[in-house]
Amino acid sequence: MIELDNIEKRFGDAVILKDISIRIPEGSVTALVGPSGGGKSTLLRCINLLEIPTAGTIRLGEETLTFKPGQKTSWQAIQKIRRQTGMVFQNFQLFPHQTAIENVMESLVTVLKWPKEKARNRAMELLTKVGMAHKADAWPSTLSGGQQQR
């Protein structure tokens, strides 16, 4: 579950997000639509804490973080939230010297410190989930743009 309560994000005097509250149940599919410059990417970056909200509360699963203007958020608290999120950027870059499965495994091994076998099993589950199991050993240069993004 993702829940945002009264999220605000400011860059200096510019208010980008103001009083954003939403509850997204686990397993649901949600689309975020709006005009260019409307704050969609900033909201997504706030959810996974690539941008730190100026104010408000974020709940992801069992983790809750509250933000107040001028209050610093600890690195440990940020990491607890980030471990539960993932984000596919519009301009993604796969490691060209690693296969599809190795690219998926990378964050599991590097960030979460999983053993390689556990990471490989989870990576294969994820590739299967997005219809890419047959491309596990493919190099990024042989994949279409959509396949690379998945």
Side-chain angles (χ1 to χ4, degrees):
M1 186 244 332
I2 299 172
E3 190 170 352
L4 310 176
D5 290 317
N6 305 108
I7 293 296
E8 179 179 288
K9 178 61 182 170
R10 293 175 176 261
F11 291 103
D13 290 335
V15 179
I16 307 304
L17 303 173
K18 185 176 181 181
D19 197 26
I20 304 294
S21 297
I22 187 171
R23 185 172 194 273
I24 304 170
E26 187 172 339
S28 67
V29 176
T30 302
L32 185 59
V33 296
S36 178
K40 300 178 300 293
S41 294
T42 300
L43 180 62
L44 292 173
R45 291 174 61 82
C46 283
I47 290 171
N48 67 12
L49 301 181
L50 291 175
E51 294 288 350
I52 304 300
T54 307
T57 300
I58 292 178
R59 285 184 203 85
L60 265 78
E62 300 298 316
E63 299 297 328
T64 301
L65 264 178
T66 298
F67 306 91
K68 296 179 182 172
Q71 180 183 13
K72 188 154 174 72
T73 305
S74 76
W75 180 249
Q76 292 82 7
I78 290 170
Q79 288 301 95
K80 282 182 178 181
I81 294 289
R82 283 188 182 160
R83 283 188 183 106
Q84 297 185 69
T85 66
M87 187 166 176
V88 177
F89 296 92
Q90 288 177 336
N91 295 324
F92 48 89
Q93 292 293 320
L94 297 176
F95 294 112
H97 63 286
Q98 293 181 341
T99 63
I101 196 165
E102 290 169 337
N103 269 280
V104 175
M105 289 172 56
E106 185 66 34
S107 64
L108 300 173
V109 172
T110 304
V111 177
L112 298 181
K113 308 292 185 203
W114 284 15
K116 284 193 176 185
E117 191 57 34
K118 179 180 178 182
R120 181 172 296 280
N121 290 338
R122 179 62 176 149
M124 187 53 81
E125 288 174 15
L126 294 170
L127 287 171
T128 299
K129 191 174 188 176
V130 297
M132 291 288 297
H134 66 290
K135 295 287 190 177
D137 295 320
W139 298 102
S141 62
T142 67
L143 301 174
S144 71
Q147 289 172 329
Q148 289 180 33
Q149 202 165 28
R150 283 183 271 160

